[in-house]
Amino acid sequence: GGYRQVLDRCHFSSLQADQAHQLLRGVTIDVTEQRQMEDDLARSRERFQLAIECAAIDYYEWFRDDDVVIGSDRILGSLPNRDRNSPVRGASVLEAMHPDDRREWQAARARHAAGEVEFAECRFRVRDANGRWRWLFDRAQIVDRGPH
């Protein structure tokens, strides 16, 4: 025997006006497996965050439909003219990119989108908030192509 975790919801109803007798109606749901999955997910997130920090890499997701980029603050937070109260736009990342590097970056993305290569890989420079050029290596993969 072990313990099971349950979610219990109930409703009290009075059977008589004097409130001496009450009826309890309820449902009980076994949520042990759900709790285990939540715990496993939390541990997985912790391991992922540790791996990112130990490898000194940055992570991002670019939602192309909305042109919103989310990810680690080390790179996105260092973009010039960054308004911390609004989302990072892909256009602002491209604006911060060195003009000589944009074409190669776009070509790498196009090759990947066309299925010619498994990953879009490119080295490029991006201007940080202090005006310095920082070299980045970007490796990305489309994980959701959305509806066709």
Side-chain angles (χ1 to χ4, degrees):
Y3 290 98
R4 306 289 292 173
Q5 296 187 8
V6 296
L7 172 65
D8 190 25
R9 297 188 184 217
C10 61
H11 174 74
F12 284 97
S13 297
S14 175
L15 293 177
Q16 296 184 359
D18 66 0
Q19 303 284 325
H21 295 76
Q22 293 184 343
L23 171 65
L24 173 65
R25 291 186 180 125
V27 295
T28 301
I29 303 167
D30 185 337
V31 294
T32 303
E33 290 179 18
Q34 178 182 342
R35 285 294 303 266
Q36 182 62 49
M37 286 188 291
E38 291 169 355
D39 292 347
D40 291 347
L41 180 59
R43 280 191 296 278
S44 179
R45 285 182 177 149
E46 289 171 4
R47 287 191 300 269
F48 174 74
Q49 187 62 36
L50 180 62
I52 293 292
E53 290 172 6
C54 289
I57 59 177
D58 294 300
Y59 173 81
Y60 71 91
E61 292 179 282
W62 186 355
F63 297 90
R64 296 294 303 266
D65 291 344
D66 301 327
D67 192 35
V68 172
V69 181
I70 62 169
S72 60
D73 199 44
R74 187 169 41 197
I75 294 298
L76 297 179
S78 68
L79 293 174
N81 304 318
R82 167 87 167 92
D83 178 4
R84 298 222 180 253
N85 296 320
S86 61
V88 174
R89 301 285 178 195
S92 64
V93 175
L94 289 175
E95 288 171 12
M97 190 179 295
H98 194 284
D100 293 344
D101 300 335
R102 287 184 192 136
R103 183 171 288 145
E104 178 57 32
W105 183 86
Q106 290 168 331
R109 299 287 173 159
R111 285 189 302 274
H112 174 59
E116 297 172 18
V117 292
E118 186 174 359
F119 296 96
E121 294 183 345
C122 183
R123 284 184 173 80
F124 60 91
R125 292 162 285 184
V126 65
R127 189 179 302 276
D128 67 16
N130 296 320
R132 295 176 302 199
W133 290 107
R134 299 173 65 176
W135 278 99
L136 303 178
F137 172 72
D138 184 38
R139 181 177 178 159
Q141 184 177 45
I142 298 171
V143 295
D144 183 1
R145 293 185 183 268
H148 297 285

